[in-house]
Amino acid sequence: MVFSFSSKKKGMTLIEMLVAISIMIIAMEGFTYVFVRSWENNRFTIEMGLASTTASRAVNQTIIQLRAIKQADNGDFPIEEADDFDLTIYTDIDDDGVTERVHYYLDLATDEFKRGVTDPNTATIPVTYPSGDTTTTVMAKYITNSSTEPIFYYYNGDYPGDTVNNPLATPASVGNIQLVKVKIKVNINPARAPENINLESFVDLRNMHNYE
């Protein structure tokens, strides 16, 4: 008995090929979309993390420098100005034995938290401090504090027992300030992610107790 097999090889038709190419293109577009979104999300997370780390460092540095507040070299009061977004104090910021005037403020034009430092003019008697900031440093970017969300809050020596008169109304009477709260809100893209990262810390101005 003889068996006979017949085999016919059939290639893809033009329509089948076009369908296959279309499926492949759709799959590639889907993969590309997922990859791009994943990359964008990861980049946003990394950039947000870096911004919050920088802001956290800025808050910590500000707190440390406020804790070391002292009388100016010309005898001026340790605090010169205390407002919602501006705080000017005297402290030896670089441990050189000279008391600098230090100005912390929010630059609303750039959404940056900045620090201005001015050295005293020791060639004059008595010592004088030039007007304005001599050097300016950007301490943190992407600050989103609104006009109703101050960076600086001030408290008298009766806080936290006295919550009626605290925080103090601004501009605060510098002689009443015993504690300061620094609060910064950070967001690299508020339109995309409305949730801000909130960073805040309290500092007790120990040297201000000498003026009670």
Side-chain angles (χ1 to χ4, degrees), residues 5-205:
F5 296 92
S6 176
S7 176
K8 294 183 178 180
K9 294 183 179 181
K10 182 179 180 181
M12 294 181 64
T13 65
L14 178 60
I15 294 178
E16 290 173 334
M17 184 177 295
L18 293 175
V19 171
I21 293 174
S22 298
I23 294 173
M24 182 178 65
I25 291 175
I26 293 173
M28 290 180 63
E29 288 180 346
F31 173 79
T32 301
Y33 175 79
V34 171
F35 174 80
V36 170
R37 288 302 302 269
S38 176
W39 181 81
E40 288 179 347
N41 289 335
N42 288 336
R43 185 184 66 175
F44 179 84
T45 301
I46 292 172
E47 291 180 354
M48 192 66 171
L50 291 174
S52 62
T53 299
T54 301
S56 177
R57 188 182 302 116
V59 171
N60 291 334
Q61 288 179 351
T62 303
I63 292 297
I64 291 172
Q65 291 155 11
L66 285 172
R67 189 173 291 121
I69 195 172
K70 61 190 297 188
Q71 191 175 47
D73 286 350
N74 64 355
D76 281 354
F77 199 72
I79 303 176
E80 182 177 285
E81 178 188 17
D83 215 331
D84 290 342
F85 298 97
D86 281 88
L87 173 58
T88 303
I89 64 167
Y90 291 94
T91 186
D92 184 1
I93 195 171
D94 50 9
D95 297 321
D96 62 351
V98 176
T99 304
E100 291 84 15
R101 186 180 67 230
V102 184
H103 176 209
Y104 306 96
Y105 64 100
L106 175 63
D107 188 337
L108 295 174
T110 60
D111 295 328
E112 295 174 333
F113 181 57
K114 295 182 176 181
R115 181 186 65 201
V117 177
T118 302
D119 290 310
N121 181 3
T122 57
T124 62
I125 300 177
V127 169
T128 59
Y129 287 84
S131 61
D133 301 327
T134 303
T135 60
T136 301
T137 302
V138 176
M139 300 187 72
K141 298 181 178 180
Y142 310 110
I143 308 304
T144 60
N145 293 62
S146 68
S147 59
T148 59
E149 298 170 311
I151 285 182
F152 301 109
Y153 297 79
Y154 308 97
Y155 303 82
N156 61 31
D158 296 327
Y159 183 81
D162 179 8
T163 57
V164 175
N165 300 302
N166 288 288
L168 301 174
T170 52
S173 176
V174 296
N176 294 332
I177 301 172
Q178 294 293 330
L179 299 97
V180 177
K181 180 172 73 172
V182 181
K183 183 176 182 179
I184 286 180
K185 305 180 75 172
V186 183
N187 197 329
I188 64 172
N189 188 352
R192 175 184 173 187
E195 294 299 325
N196 299 298
I197 293 178
N198 299 323
L199 304 164
E200 64 178 74
S201 185
F202 267 95
V203 58
D204 181 8
L205 307 179

